[in-house]
Amino acid sequence: MPFPSIEELPATLDSTGWRWEPYKTPSFPSYTFWTGTDSAGRTWLTKLTGDFYAYREIVFARIAQRMGWSCQSSTLVVLDDRSADLLGVPDARVHAAHWFLAEHGRTSCSRDCPLASCNWRSIDDVDELKGCKVSRILDWPRSEIAAALFGGNEPPDRLLTTSHEFVIIDSEQMFSSGPTDVTETRWWNRRDGAASRAGRELTIEVCRRVSQLSNDDLADALAKPQGVEINELWPIGPRLKEIRRFADSFAAKYR
């Protein structure tokens, strides 16, 4: 990964003394995010969505990285008074802080740019994606299959870094429900309705990998930092175990 793993990040950050700037991404030019630069010169991005969205996103990212997927690394930031007032969230102090990743533009940057090999944002067939030279591109369908498996209200978003690596981002909607039918994603069948062998193999792979997560893996994913209160609107732990059971049953069906 062209960035530190989530395990390498501090469990929490204190925003005291940070330099804040509004930020618009190439993918969401109408939405203003914030970047904060800490005393060590590290830059973090936040959407200011609060503690529970942040926690859900971090739980999923821990699992995704444990399974070897390219997923953004995030931690929790506790806003000091000055930062909270500046950002307009005086009553919401705990948010996700994402390791800042510079995003590649939507067009090729050179003659050898991997984007020239495919229009990756419009492909919805795993076989076609295999011909795309963007690094880690198959983690895109994996993340959308995972959205069904992990009860996401919507699939995560996707980012292409300036080093041409695909990264899963914006997974805060995970665990909104229990697992749903993974055969209903756009990857299970081809665009013409015919079965996609590669898509189905990838779906089974995702379920098999999730089914192999140990109790320690789940406990590590669910860990909360000491001294930070997370307003968990519903418990994620039982859902995570339900997801693992569902994944095991689905993988066994196609074993």
Side-chain angles (χ1 to χ4, degrees):
M1 293 189 299
F3 51 91
S5 71
I6 200 166
E7 292 183 352
E8 297 175 279
L9 299 185
T12 60
L13 299 165
D14 180 345
S15 68
T16 301
W18 284 22
R19 184 178 73 253
W20 292 99
E21 295 179 1
Y23 179 75
K24 293 182 181 292
T25 72
S27 297
F28 298 97
S30 62
Y31 189 93
T32 300
F33 301 85
W34 286 90
T35 57
T37 303
D38 64 22
S39 58
R42 301 172 299 188
T43 301
W44 308 87
L45 183 141
T46 182
K47 296 195 297 183
L48 301 173
T49 52
D51 58 346
F52 191 41
Y53 280 123
Y55 178 60
R56 288 154 66 184
E57 188 157 16
I58 289 169
V59 171
F60 176 76
R62 287 169 175 160
I63 292 171
Q65 289 190 9
R66 182 67 58 92
M67 295 190 297
W69 299 355
S70 178
C71 184
Q72 71 180 3
S73 291
S74 310
T75 187
L76 296 173
V77 59
V78 181
L79 299 180
D80 63 291
D81 291 344
R82 172 188 165 276
S83 295
D85 289 341
L86 175 65
L87 302 182
V89 286
D91 297 321
R93 296 304 180 95
V94 180
H95 300 274
H98 312 294
W99 184 271
F100 180 78
L101 296 170
E103 185 175 357
H104 193 288
R106 294 212 168 212
T107 57
S108 299
C109 61
S110 69
R111 182 179 300 176
D112 299 325
C113 179
L115 284 185
S117 67
C118 63
N119 185 5
W120 68 283
R121 286 181 174 271
S122 65
I123 295 175
D124 55 6
D125 184 87
V126 173
D127 280 318
E128 292 181 35
L129 273 184
K130 288 181 177 179
C132 186
K133 296 180 181 179
V134 171
S135 176
R136 310 301 299 271
I137 191 62
L138 289 185
D139 287 340
W140 171 24
R142 287 187 180 102
S143 73
E144 294 197 349
I145 295 163
L149 186 59
F150 284 78
N153 276 340
E154 61 186 25
D157 215 317
R158 49 200 187 272
L159 180 143
L160 180 65
T161 68
T162 52
S163 58
H164 303 106
E165 179 167 338
F166 171 87
V167 182
I168 302 166
I169 62 171
D170 295 346
S171 54
E172 70 269 10
Q173 293 286 351
M174 295 298 192
F175 312 108
S176 296
S177 68
T180 58
D181 189 355
V182 293
T183 68
E184 293 184 357
T185 74
R186 59 176 165 171
W187 306 101
W188 187 254
N189 289 322
R190 299 177 63 91
R191 198 175 301 124
D192 60 7
S196 169
R197 179 176 179 179
R200 296 188 177 196
E201 287 177 349
L202 197 67
T203 302
I204 296 164
E205 173 213 291
V206 168
C207 288
R208 182 174 297 119
R209 187 66 189 88
V210 171
S211 74
Q212 293 169 346
L213 293 169
S214 68
N215 288 335
D216 286 344
D217 290 333
L218 301 191
D220 289 344
L222 292 164
K224 299 175 184 176
Q226 292 184 351
V228 177
E229 184 176 349
I230 303 294
N231 182 22
E232 199 169 352
L233 299 180
W234 56 84
I236 293 179
R239 287 192 178 176
L240 198 45
K241 291 182 178 180
E242 180 187 2
I243 288 162
R244 187 176 59 179
R245 288 193 297 268
F246 181 96
D248 185 59
S249 177
F250 188 89
K253 181 179 179 180
Y254 292 93
R255 201 167 275 148

